[in-house]
Every structure is written in structure tokens, then in C-alpha cells.
Amino acid sequence: MQVGSVIAYRERGHLALGVVQKLFPATGRAQVEILGADGRKQVLSADRIICDCGTTLPSTLSPADVKKRLQELLDHINAHAQTINVEELWELLKEETEEFSWEDLAGFVLSAPDDPVAKVSLLAALWAHPVYFKEKKAGFFTPRDPQSVAESLHQQHLETQRVQAHNAFLAWVHARLAGAAPPAPPPAGGERYLQLLKELALYGDTYEKKSHALSLLEAIGFRGKGHPWDVAFQLLVALGIWQEDEELCILRYRIPTRFPQDVLAAAAQIPPFTASQGYTDLTSLSTFTIDDPDTTEVDDALSLHQENGVTLVGIHITDASFFVSPGSLIDQAALTRGTTVYLPRGKLPMLPPTLSEDKASLVVGELRPTLSFFASVDPAGHLQAERICRGVIRVGQRLSYAEADALLRSPDSSPTAAALKQLSALAQARRAVRASQGAVIIEGDEVKVRVHDGEVTVTLLTNDSPSRTLVSECMILANEMAARYCQAHRLPALYIAQPPPDEPVPAVEAFPTPRVYVHAARRLMKPAQLGTTPAPHAALGLDLYTQVTSPLRRYHDLQMQHQIKHHLQHGTALFDEAQLQIIAAGAQESSLAAKRCERESTRYWLLRFLEHKKGHTVSGQVVREHHGRSFIELDDTLLVVPVNVSPPLPLGTAVTVVIAHVDARRDILSVRLA
């Protein structure tokens, strides 16, 4: 080796070439200064040099020419390495256990083993195909055992497939974005990459595979606005996978949107109800329903009649359990859903519509089975007598809340109006009884959002509807009666309890406005709990509580209806406590997911509604102060938004604000005082 000699050396596990520029005297470890093919000078210790390639470059060559000559030689070596069959060499030596130097291995495969360049080519081939030989120490190799080789080849095959699928997916994405290809599904294996993008868009910074998704997003090179998860969403919209107004909450909480065909077929085969043995004929009662005009799942009706000189309130809940047998296909589908989810663009029902909107719904004029609750309530609101039975009713009239309120406020003396007025008085008395028992009455306004053909309508439902109070108190009464029935008969049940707040909720009069009270009271209350142990419900002021009044849209109501109806008929429980605990666990999870989905969807569409009001002024009220910031509830949407103002505005202050910035997809709303 001399100045100008081309030498081969190891650089980060790969073969590299350099030309010797200077030889240092052997003081300790010998060292050589080289100029590499990358144009960089460096000093190598002798043990990093593999061999002299037997080629010398003139010292008169420019650095650019040196780099060119070295690259040409390296390309020649790599090309020769590709002709060497390392697998055949391994087949020849796989039974051997001794170590072989790379020069020895060259003697088995090369026709000219003394050619330095050819020998180096073998070393390049060994490094390029580490599947067959293991380098135990520098320049010395042993054949790998057949099992290790087979496993490595399998992993290589999988990696090749992964790379091919990755590249095919990138090509598909770029073609779709360029509009160079007609819409087509992603290539084989592409769904995995789409899922990475979808879940990044859905779960953002909390996504456990975020790093993989970010790498994919970078490889695609799509440029968007906002966080990477915002960009992932924009990319999926650009690819036509999602719509601009995609309901991400449905995907995020895995809410089923369609029923399987076998479930729909099973529901269609269920015959309508006809008079059945064991059901009490209640068709002589004058029954009516009160709902919103667009309600299609009608599960409760009311009546008021005299029996042996006693006035009885009748609360009739559709017997959905008549149509849905435990463990059936329909029951399993309902369990998967857990509850009906109400969204601005429509509902996702717990039961197939042929049942929830037709055969089991309390449709006017149709014979329907019920679980009927009868109560005698004195003018002070105290229960005097109660009973539960399996009944058959025929609803005589359907009222909207607005129609019921109009009857309550009018001098109308028709039977329906008279019944409504008496029921309303009893409802107010029942509410007063609950309040005296510690109930926390929180009557906040609600907002109803509907979307039709992309147009958002927002309706404010005020808390001053007497018919809503009437219906609410009747449902609370029926649920309380159901809970007492289960306790009295030692019947395992799903009870709903709510621990008392850590500090007493002040009276509404202690706050500047009712709206400030509502927000303060809600923050103090603890979440309700579903379980099999009876316990008080603090907000309702009741010692016991369950829910059976919404069997068309809540799974645990349906199961409690099964339980009570079975006991009425047979005197025994259908479910034991362990079975109910399983139901409770699933119901809690699905209910929480549904509430979050409803809340997120409603907020998104309210923000979409406000996007068209940028720069407009809207009214609101200061409902909270926290860490020096005032929180304003907007009057038309009931959205709460912080405002930085010093000093903070007094609670209850009426304000006018300007909509400064809204981005519904990124959940951004900012306002400033007008």
C-alpha cells in the first residue's frame, strides 16, 4: 500500500473506497489518511482497512476526478457482488461450524480468487445478504443454521411486501390527488395505511401509533393547515374517503350506523301485537302521548281516570320486551348499541325502525302492549297507592309539547284538557315533595340542532314548558315505582344512584340569575352510577331509582322491563345479580360514548352555524368566572366561551360580543366584547 493506492474499508457497516493520501509512521497503531468517494478526507486506523484493491490513481487527478474514478470502481464492485450467489455458497457450507475468513470464502466461489476487486465483491455480497452468514468478528463468518435462515427469509419477504404495499399506496394517493386516475379503491394492503391516517385524524396526539402515522403523512407530502391530525383529516377529504362534514365522533366512539341484514330480517318477521293472554285490557282508558313533533319512537302515554272513587294517574310504557326476546339477534344488536344516539343530522336507533317506530311505538289508534303504572297521588303530591300491570292500550290522541302547553293555558274544558290540567297540578306537587326531600331542581334551557341538506337550524327549548315538567315528573314517578317494586319483592335490579355533592347546592335565589345557578349547580353535582345496589339519588331527592320508561332507546330500560314483566307473570326473576352487573357495565360504557358523541356533534354543528356569523354581534350572559377569566353563555346557541377582560365581569352581566373567529373542524370559537 502506497500513496495513490485505492483501498477498501468499512464505513457504518457498508463497503467504501478511498485513495491513500498520506501514510503515517508506525507509532503505536498505524494510520492512513485517505480521500473517500464522498470527497471527504479522513484518517483511518489500519484495522478499518479491508484490503488494497490493487489499483493506483495518479496524484495529478483533481478531487472531482478522484471521486468519479472511485465511484466507478465501487459501482463495478457492487455490480460484480450481485452476480455472486451467496445462497449457493451457504448451501455448500451450511453443515460446517468453523469460522471462515472472507478471503477463504472467496476461494469457494471466485474463478480468479487472487483478483483483489473480485474478492472485495464477495465481501460486499456477504454484507448485502447477512441472512446466510454471521460475521462473528471483523472479516470472519460462520454459516447460519437452516432455521434461522428460513425465518430471516420469511421476514425479508414480509418486509418486501410491506415496502411494495407502501409504495403502491403512495402512488395511489398521489394519483388521486393529481386527479390522474378515476376513483378507485386503494391497492392491496392500502387499507392499513388509510387506517393509520384515519386514526390519527380521530385521536390526534393520544393515538398510540402516532409516530407511524406521522411518518406516512410526511412520505405523502400533503400540505394542510393546523396540527398533523388536522392535516390527516384534510388529506382524507381530498382523497374522497371522508366528507368535509364527516361526523368524526361516530367513528371515534365506534357507534354502529347500520343494522346487519339478518337483524333487519328478524325484525321484519315479528308480527304486530294482538290481544294476548296475561295482559289487562286497558283500551277503555283515554290515553294520550306528548312528544316533540319529530319524535318517531313513542314509548310512553298518560291517562287519568277514576277507579272506586279514587283518581289514578296512568303511566303506560310500551312493552318493547314483547318484541325483543333476551339473547335474540335483535337483543344482541341492541346490546351492541346500548342506546339510541340523537345527532343533528338524524338518530342512530338502538332497535330497528320497524320495531321502534312502528310495531312497538305507541301509534295513535293501534293496539299496543304496555307495562302500565297506576298511582294515586294526593293534592300534596304524596303517593297513596300504586300498582304495576301488563296492559293493552290504544292511544287516542297525540299531542306536541306546544299543543299540550296551549291546552294547559287555555280555558278549554275538554276531557283531554281537564286531564292535562289535573296531571300538571299533581306533577307540580310531586316536584315540591322531591324538593322537600333534598332534590336539586336544575331547569336549564336546551338547544336543539337540526341539519337538513347542509342547512343548520337552531331552536332554543326554554325551561318554562309546563307539559315538559308534567311528562318529566310522570316518568320519574314510574321509575321510582319500578325501583320500589323490585326492592319490595327482593328482585335483582339495575338501580341508578347519585352521591350527594361535597358541598350543599345553594338555592337559586343565592345567584344573580337562574342561568348562573344552573351552571354552578351542574358543576357541584356528581355523576350518576348504574349498579345492582339500591342507593339514594341526590339530584332527584329519592331513596331508590331505576329506569324503565325508555325501552325503545335505552338497553338497561329494556332489560329492567324484562325483569319486572317476568316477575309479574311468573313470580321469579329473569336475571340474577351477576347477569345484571354485566348489563350495567355495557350500558354505562355505551351511554357514556353516546353522550360524548351527541355533545361533540351538537357542538360541531353549532360552530358551523356560527361560521356564517363571523363579525356579527350576539348577546350573552356571564355565567362563570375562573382564574380571572369571564365565561359567557351565548343566548342563541348556549355555547360557553371565555373572554379575557380585566377586571372580570360580574356574574349575570348581560353582554354583547362579536364573533371573532370560528373553525368548527378544529373546535375553535373566540369572541370579543362589542
Side-chain angles (χ1 to χ4, degrees):
M1 182 171 56
Q2 59 186 5
V3 173
S5 296
V6 175
I7 56 99
Y9 65 98
R10 186 195 300 264
E11 181 71 23
R12 296 177 182 174
H14 297 282
L15 182 70
L17 299 181
V19 59
V20 176
Q21 299 286 290
K22 184 186 296 185
L23 295 171
F24 293 98
T27 55
R29 299 177 66 184
Q31 292 183 321
V32 177
E33 182 182 285
I34 65 155
L35 176 64
D38 57 1
R40 183 169 57 92
K41 285 186 177 182
Q42 61 176 311
V43 175
L44 302 179
S45 58
D47 58 358
R48 285 188 61 192
I49 298 174
I50 297 167
C51 70
D52 187 328
C53 293
T55 300
T56 302
L57 297 183
S59 59
T60 56
L61 289 178
S62 67
D65 287 336
V66 169
K67 181 178 179 180
K68 179 181 178 183
R69 293 281 292 274
L70 290 176
Q71 189 59 52
E72 289 173 349
L73 183 56
L74 185 60
D75 291 343
H76 173 70
I77 291 171
N78 288 331
H80 192 275
Q82 292 178 9
T83 67
I84 298 174
N85 193 325
V86 179
E87 182 181 5
E88 284 187 359
L89 178 61
W90 175 78
E91 288 285 354
L92 179 66
L93 301 173
K94 65 183 178 182
E95 302 299 332
E96 303 293 334
T97 58
E98 63 180 292
E99 290 184 350
F100 296 89
S101 70
W102 65 276
E103 293 96 335
D104 292 337
L105 292 173
F108 288 102
V109 295
L110 300 178
S111 57
D114 294 330
D115 180 353
V117 173
K119 288 168 67 176
V120 172
S121 298
L122 172 69
L123 186 58
L126 290 171
W127 284 347
H129 301 281
V131 169
Y132 298 101
F133 289 86
K134 180 177 182 180
E135 188 175 15
K136 285 196 168 183
K137 58 184 179 182
F140 288 84
F141 297 82
T142 57
R144 296 185 186 274
D145 64 88
Q147 183 178 350
S148 297
V149 170
E151 290 176 355
S152 297
L153 289 174
H154 177 65
Q155 292 301 319
Q156 276 190 355
H157 176 68
L158 293 178
E159 177 62 14
T160 300
Q161 287 185 320
R162 188 198 68 77
V163 171
Q164 290 173 345
H166 183 267
N167 292 337
F169 179 75
L170 293 182
W172 174 80
V173 168
H174 293 147
R176 288 290 291 267
L177 292 177
E191 282 297 335
R192 184 171 76 89
Y193 297 104
L194 275 180
Q195 195 63 26
L196 280 173
L197 295 173
K198 288 178 180 179
E199 299 205 355
L200 177 63
L202 290 173
Y203 304 111
D205 204 30
T206 64
Y207 181 34
E208 68 273 11
K209 295 182 180 177
K210 184 180 72 171
S211 60
H212 298 293
L214 293 178
S215 297
L216 176 62
L217 201 59
E218 184 178 358
I220 292 171
F222 182 80
R223 295 292 176 260
K225 182 176 72 171
H227 294 294
W229 35 96
D230 299 320
V231 176
F233 172 81
Q234 295 156 23
L235 171 59
L236 290 163
V237 171
L239 291 173
I241 305 300
W242 283 349
Q243 301 298 314
E244 188 68 43
D245 286 317
E246 193 76 29
E247 295 273 13
L248 296 190
C249 57
I250 295 176
L251 302 171
R252 186 176 294 119
Y253 299 112
R254 296 178 172 84
I255 309 291
T257 57
R258 293 182 177 85
F259 288 97
Q261 284 301 316
D262 55 352
V263 173
L264 294 174
Q269 291 169 6
I270 296 175
F273 175 80
T274 56
S276 180
Q277 186 177 3
Y279 284 83
T280 302
D281 186 354
L282 304 174
T283 54
S284 62
L285 297 179
S286 177
T287 53
F288 53 88
T289 63
I290 307 175
D291 283 291
D292 286 314
D294 56 356
T295 297
T296 55
E297 299 172 324
V298 183
D299 47 19
D300 58 85
L302 301 175
S303 66
L304 191 72
H305 74 287
Q306 295 287 322
E307 189 174 289
N308 300 323
V310 176
T311 301
L312 291 180
V313 176
I315 306 160
H316 311 277
I317 309 302
T318 185
D319 184 3
S321 65
F322 177 87
F323 303 95
V324 183
S325 301
S328 65
L329 279 175
I330 300 172
D331 181 70
Q332 292 172 29
L335 173 61
T336 300
R337 287 156 176 76
T339 184
T340 294
V341 183
Y342 295 94
L343 304 175
R345 288 203 286 197
K347 67 176 183 289
L348 302 173
M350 182 184 78
L351 295 174
T354 187
L355 294 180
S356 61
E357 299 181 7
D358 184 13
K359 297 172 186 175
S361 183
L362 298 183
V363 179
V364 172
E366 299 296 334
L367 210 62
R368 292 291 185 261
T370 62
L371 190 63
S372 292
F373 298 79
F374 292 99
S376 171
V377 182
D378 67 19
H382 299 288
L383 271 174
Q384 300 300 308
E386 58 188 277
R387 77 171 188 268
I388 305 174
C389 72
R390 299 160 67 215
V392 179
I393 69 169
R394 183 179 279 111
V395 173
Q397 189 175 4
R398 171 172 177 160
L399 298 171
S400 67
Y401 285 109
E403 291 169 337
D405 287 341
L407 285 173
L408 285 168
R409 295 181 177 122
S410 75
D412 193 324
S413 59
S414 66
T416 301
L420 277 172
K421 290 172 183 178
Q422 192 170 351
L423 284 171
S424 182
L426 292 174
Q428 292 296 337
R430 284 292 302 163
R431 174 167 291 200
V433 169
R434 292 195 299 107
S436 70
Q437 295 171 172
V440 181
I441 309 297
I442 304 175
E443 293 183 319
D445 293 344
E446 296 180 12
V447 66
K448 186 174 184 178
V449 185
R450 290 292 178 264
V451 180
H452 298 287
D453 297 327
E455 183 177 349
V456 186
T457 59
V458 179
T459 306
L460 199 62
L461 304 177
T462 59
N463 61 15
D464 60 353
S465 167
S467 63
R468 290 184 186 274
T469 299
L470 184 162
V471 171
S472 173
E473 287 299 325
C474 285
M475 297 308 112
I476 292 172
L477 175 58
N479 289 327
E480 180 190 4
M481 290 170 61
R484 277 207 301 269
Y485 179 91
C486 293
Q487 187 185 51
H489 294 87
R490 297 183 178 179
L491 186 62
L494 291 172
Y495 293 101
I496 299 175
Q498 186 180 40
D502 292 331
E503 58 183 273
V505 179
V508 64
E509 293 79 15
F511 295 86
T513 68
R515 286 167 72 173
V516 176
Y517 162 76
V518 166
H519 283 270
R522 285 175 177 166
R523 289 197 302 274
L524 289 173
M525 300 306 294
K526 295 181 178 180
Q529 301 166 350
L530 182 65
T532 56
T533 302
H537 194 295
L540 296 178
L542 299 174
D543 293 333
L544 293 171
Y545 196 67
T546 186
Q547 285 180 323
V548 297
T549 52
S550 298
L552 296 179
R553 58 186 179 90
R554 279 197 302 248
Y555 188 74
H556 67 267
D557 290 45
L558 175 62
Q559 301 312 300
M560 280 304 300
Q561 192 174 70
H562 273 303
Q563 184 81 324
I564 293 173
K565 194 178 82 167
H566 190 275
H567 188 269
L568 287 169
Q569 187 174 6
H570 303 289
T572 59
L574 178 62
F575 304 116
D576 60 25
E577 187 171 339
Q579 290 171 307
L580 289 177
Q581 286 173 344
I582 294 172
I583 292 171
Q588 288 264 75
E589 183 178 352
S590 60
S591 176
L592 182 61
K595 287 177 181 177
R596 286 175 174 170
C597 185
E598 290 171 347
R599 184 167 58 246
E600 290 179 17
S601 180
T602 298
R603 179 175 173 83
Y604 171 79
W605 286 108
L606 285 172
L607 292 176
R608 290 282 281 132
F609 175 75
L610 290 179
E611 282 181 340
H612 301 286
K613 295 181 177 292
K614 291 180 183 178
H616 292 202
T617 58
V618 296
S619 58
Q621 184 179 125
V622 179
V623 294
R624 187 186 179 197
E625 186 268 323
H626 186 63
H627 292 318
R629 304 179 82 191
S630 295
F631 287 79
I632 297 172
E633 183 179 63
L634 305 182
D635 291 341
D636 56 351
T637 61
L638 300 187
L639 289 171
V640 177
V641 58
V643 171
N644 291 320
V645 56
S646 183
L649 298 170
L651 294 178
T653 302
V655 296
T656 301
V657 297
V658 178
I659 304 296
H661 180 55
V662 189
D663 187 330
R665 182 53 64 191
R666 299 171 65 195
D667 193 26
I668 295 173
L669 170 62
S670 63
V671 302
R672 66 176 186 274
L673 292 176

